[in-house]
Amino acid sequence: MDTPDSRETLLDLHRSGKLVDRYPAVPGLLAELSGAELVTAGRLLARLDPAEVAAAHPGVPAVTVAVTGHGTLAQLVPPLTAELARHGLLARPVVSDFDGWVFDLGDPESELYAAEPDLTLCVLDPMVVFDELPLPWRPDDVERVAREKADLVERLAERFQESGRGTLVLNTVPLPHRFAAQLVDHGSRARLGVLWREFNVRLLRLAERFPAVTVLDLDPLVAVGEAATDPRLSQYAKAHLSPGLLARYARQVGHLARHVTGRTKKALVLDLDGTVWGGIVGETGPEGIEVADGYRGEAFAAFQRVVKQLGAQGVLLAAVSKNDPEPVAAAFRDLPGMTLREDDLVRIVANWRPKHENLTELAAALGIGVDSFVFVDDSPYERGLVRHALPGVAVVAVDEEPALHVEALLRDGWFDARALTDEDHARVGRYRAELDRKDFLDTFDSLGDYLRGLDLKVRIAEADEAQIPRLSQITLRTNQFNLTTVRLQPSDVRALLDGPDTSVLAVEAGDRFGEHGVVGALFLRRDGATLHIDNFLLSCRVFSRGIEQACLAAVLAHARDAGAARASGHYRTSPKNGKVADFYQRNGFVPAGPGSPGEHGEHGEHHDGTAARYDHDLADIPDPPEHIHLINGLGGEGS
């Protein structure tokens, strides 16, 4: 859909009062908008009542975003609303009073804390320092005030860590030219630059000290040409960051919101001709394509280097190309100028079938949802077809100018994460092994024979400190085998791990093809004689192998041995976890309560969206599946 049609459609929906009813279509309408057009769309969307949208579309994830800071920040709401909407999220903004940030974050009884936001944006601007300088001022005055403000922000971050929930988002502060220019000697200007950078370094390091804090660096946004401030808005409206910079800041927050709601992408799928290299390899042969040599070839090589950099950080790389497989394989294998090689990609698909069909089959082979894909192609036709057939796929448009490929790929931060884990660095090898497992499956006549041949080992035990980032990541990224879809930051996992009545279990697995690493988590809570399974999650990589039954059997047996009389499992329906709706019932649990008509949905979930409960009396606990060697770190070893 081109930009004018998208704008007009959105405006028509607004005028006709149908925008709430059609809210799930909004991401598609916003996909091609950017800059001022996106902010204009955000103004329309910001007029909607989030409660009304949530009531009409309970499956749309809602994100409560608290906005506080030093200056006027109402102008942040439209771009923020639009950025979340384009990722399929509903923004529930809570905007604080002017210059209320110290009170908001310093008082655990404040309205900000009471809102229990998923994201708390504390927007810092240059005037947080310059408003408190004497006249005349010198660099030493800036050093003193900046140090005091950094100390204050640090104390507030510590208070948030202790009292808040979700994520506190801080930012570095740009230094406007009009302040540096007030110092007439270059030595003083240089000292001001040093002091200001030290101030920003202190802010950036807060993310290292406090797990609940993320710091967005605004310097790269200013470096691409965005003005840091608008002098008139700063003077008259006390809006000390420019609308353009706030819009770019909102885009970064949108990436973060996508991550905290479990919508981070996992795989980058590339077209080849015109995208990874110049020319058509089927017509010219490998030796005729543009890669490395010449100015255009160098641009394609630069794009390949960026792709390889992403792959080294856990992003799965694949290629889907309309081509014969032989010349494609020869290009990756034989061309000396190629940066990407076959070993960098988990799969290369070269055939003449429609690309959306290949993407669907690739997702099934990898064991991930097709909405985990980012697809890059230089053909408007292919991009349009994929958007239409697979609306969950993020489609990145590139064109005949390869020097712009990198910017197009990185613009939306599709793979942004708060932190990387050891699992991320090992992910590509593990998915390669998963494809080997599927090839192994083809050699067996039955699933049972295949499972026995895998030599599957599962270990379940209390989590340790080193596993906290990975366990948080599982809650953020796992959608299908996630019985309540509650998202937890590392600080949340640590609190449950340290709680007197709660425990966190880590599930690890391996087989003849290698180690899977940490693939699952159980969050437990003891209440008298009842053990509550508040959530159970398992990576889609290890579905349908009996791991879930083995872990559940171990937990139930341990609960019985520890004196529990019953166990309760909790399930909350979501758009993607329907395949585990009957998990507890398939494993001997029964719906809690009288089961009166209207109390539960078809699978026991409450119609009001709260978690349904299933009970097990622990009288008859099944053994783990016989093909699994269970290493029970809860109290013994069995197989």
Side-chain angles (χ1 to χ4, degrees):
M1 182 178 296
D2 60 32
T3 298
D5 286 346
S6 298
R7 292 199 311 267
E8 287 301 319
T9 301
L10 196 65
L11 191 57
D12 288 344
L13 290 173
H14 168 70
R15 288 169 175 165
S16 63
K18 297 179 181 178
L19 196 50
V20 169
D21 292 338
R22 294 286 306 279
Y23 193 86
V26 167
L29 297 174
L30 301 181
E32 296 295 320
L33 301 184
S34 61
E37 295 172 341
L38 194 60
V39 174
T40 299
R43 292 193 184 101
L44 295 180
L45 296 171
R47 297 176 188 175
L48 301 179
D49 181 353
E52 188 178 352
V53 177
H57 308 286
V60 174
V63 182
T64 300
V65 185
V67 180
T68 188
H70 175 66
T72 302
L73 293 167
Q75 62 183 329
L76 177 59
V77 173
L80 187 64
T81 302
E83 290 294 347
L84 267 66
R86 62 192 289 268
H87 295 305
L89 304 172
L90 173 63
R92 291 189 298 212
V94 180
V95 182
S96 294
D97 294 335
F98 172 78
D99 198 21
W101 63 290
V102 177
F103 171 77
D104 287 337
L105 294 174
D107 183 4
E109 303 299 320
S110 69
E111 293 182 5
L112 183 146
Y113 283 104
E116 296 189 338
D118 302 292
L119 294 174
T120 297
L121 312 182
C122 179
V123 185
L124 303 174
D125 60 61
M127 302 311 295
V128 76
V129 172
F130 286 104
D131 270 351
E132 299 192 15
L133 295 183
L135 188 65
W137 58 270
R138 299 178 302 169
D140 287 348
D141 299 308
V142 173
E143 181 179 28
R144 173 182 55 81
V145 175
R147 182 175 62 250
E148 292 171 354
K149 293 300 179 182
D151 290 341
L152 173 59
V153 174
E154 183 175 333
R155 291 195 300 272
L156 295 175
E158 186 173 13
R159 176 60 56 88
F160 184 91
Q161 182 77 35
E162 297 170 349
S163 306
R165 66 171 296 275
T167 300
L168 172 62
V169 182
L170 301 170
N171 60 274
T172 60
V173 183
L175 175 62
H177 173 260
R178 64 190 176 100
F179 292 109
Q182 293 178 40
L183 299 172
V184 297
D185 67 289
H186 287 283
S188 294
R189 289 183 187 177
R191 176 162 166 71
L192 176 64
V194 169
L195 297 173
W196 204 261
R197 285 165 177 80
E198 289 175 346
F199 174 49
N200 279 328
V201 166
R202 281 197 63 184
L203 296 176
L204 287 167
R205 290 198 181 279
L206 292 176
E208 299 174 356
R209 292 189 51 197
F210 301 107
V213 174
T214 291
V215 183
L216 300 181
D217 190 355
L218 300 192
D219 278 357
L221 306 184
V222 175
V224 297
E226 198 62 65
T229 62
D230 181 308
R232 291 174 299 177
L233 288 174
S234 180
Q235 184 65 46
Y236 299 136
K238 307 305 179 187
H240 301 306
L241 296 179
S242 73
L245 183 58
L246 284 179
R248 287 185 176 268
Y249 168 88
R251 174 156 288 204
Q252 301 297 312
V253 174
H255 304 165
L256 186 58
R258 191 178 63 239
H259 173 66
V260 301
T261 55
R263 295 194 165 205
T264 301
K265 302 295 184 178
K266 298 178 181 178
L268 174 60
V269 185
L270 304 163
D271 168 56
L272 296 177
D273 294 337
T275 299
V276 170
W277 55 60
I280 301 174
V281 70
E283 294 181 358
T284 65
E287 64 281 354
I289 62 175
E290 295 176 295
V291 58
D293 294 331
Y295 71 94
R296 282 177 54 84
E298 290 176 356
F300 283 110
F303 178 67
Q304 289 189 28
R305 286 195 294 272
V306 171
V307 170
K308 190 160 185 168
Q309 170 73 11
L310 294 176
Q313 298 169 86
V315 176
L316 303 177
L317 307 179
V320 170
S321 173
K322 282 190 173 179
N323 257 310
D324 291 322
E326 292 80 8
V328 168
F332 279 103
R333 182 184 62 244
D334 299 333
L335 278 181
M338 285 286 290
T339 299
L340 286 175
R341 294 295 181 182
E342 189 173 6
D343 287 346
D344 295 316
L345 292 88
V346 293
R347 177 151 290 184
I348 299 172
V349 181
N351 57 39
W352 296 97
R353 296 174 56 200
K355 289 188 177 180
H356 67 276
E357 293 181 3
N358 282 326
L359 289 172
T360 301
E361 291 187 2
L362 178 61
L366 293 173
I368 60 178
V370 72
D371 57 355
S372 297
F373 284 162
V374 175
F375 174 66
V376 186
D377 202 309
D378 69 314
S379 166
Y381 170 79
E382 298 291 354
R383 296 195 303 265
L385 188 60
V386 170
R387 279 198 183 101
H388 175 74
L390 303 172
V393 173
V395 178
V396 175
V398 294
D399 56 25
E400 66 277 0
E401 176 48 82
L404 301 180
H405 282 17
V406 170
E407 174 63 24
L409 174 60
L410 300 180
R411 184 179 300 123
D412 271 305
W414 292 113
F415 307 105
D416 286 4
R418 287 194 60 197
L420 292 181
T421 68
D422 292 340
E423 301 289 330
D424 293 314
H425 294 291
R427 180 174 293 119
V428 174
R430 286 175 175 157
Y431 273 92
R432 281 186 173 279
E434 186 58 29
L435 293 174
D436 292 338
R437 290 181 186 94
K438 293 187 182 298
D439 293 338
F440 183 60
L441 172 59
D442 293 337
T443 67
F444 288 89
D445 294 328
S446 73
L447 179 60
D449 289 341
Y450 163 71
L451 291 174
R452 284 186 288 273
L454 268 183
D455 189 23
L456 187 59
K457 298 179 178 64
V458 176
R459 182 177 186 273
I460 182 170
E462 289 277 352
D464 59 37
E465 181 75 17
Q467 292 171 324
I468 287 176
R470 170 58 178 164
L471 295 172
S472 169
Q473 183 184 67
I474 287 175
T475 73
L476 295 172
R477 302 182 72 163
T478 301
N479 295 303
Q480 296 179 66
F481 198 111
N482 186 337
L483 292 175
T484 65
T485 63
V486 173
R487 313 295 181 181
L488 300 174
Q489 298 299 325
S491 57
D492 301 321
V493 177
R494 181 176 286 103
L496 293 172
L497 196 59
D498 295 339
D501 301 314
T502 56
S503 59
V504 180
L505 308 184
V507 180
E508 299 174 272
D511 57 33
R512 63 183 296 165
F513 292 99
E515 294 299 317
H516 290 287
V518 177
V519 295
L522 290 99
F523 296 90
L524 310 178
R525 172 171 48 90
R526 185 68 181 264
D527 181 11
T530 302
L531 176 75
H532 291 276
I533 305 174
D534 286 334
N535 203 6
F536 187 2
L537 309 96
L538 199 65
S539 169
C540 55
R541 284 189 286 126
V542 294
F543 277 179
S544 304
R545 297 175 193 176
I547 294 175
E548 55 270 41
Q549 289 87 356
C551 291
L552 185 60
V555 168
L556 296 181
H558 181 68
R560 181 186 59 194
D561 295 344
R566 70 192 64 85
S568 290
H570 298 263
Y571 170 77
R572 179 183 289 108
T573 187
S574 77
K576 294 185 179 181
N577 72 356
K579 66 171 58 181
V580 293
D582 63 346
F583 171 73
Y584 284 118
Q585 289 169 297
R586 284 189 284 108
N587 288 278
F589 287 69
V590 296
S596 58
E599 180 182 358
H600 301 302
E602 179 183 357
H603 296 295
E605 69 272 14
H606 291 290
H607 292 302
D608 64 2
T610 60
R613 198 183 88 219
Y614 298 88
D615 289 340
H616 196 294
D617 61 11
L618 303 182
D620 183 16
I621 300 173
D623 294 326
E626 63 177 14
H627 65 273
I628 288 180
H629 177 63
L630 178 64
I631 304 171
N632 188 347
L634 305 178
E637 180 172 333
S639 60

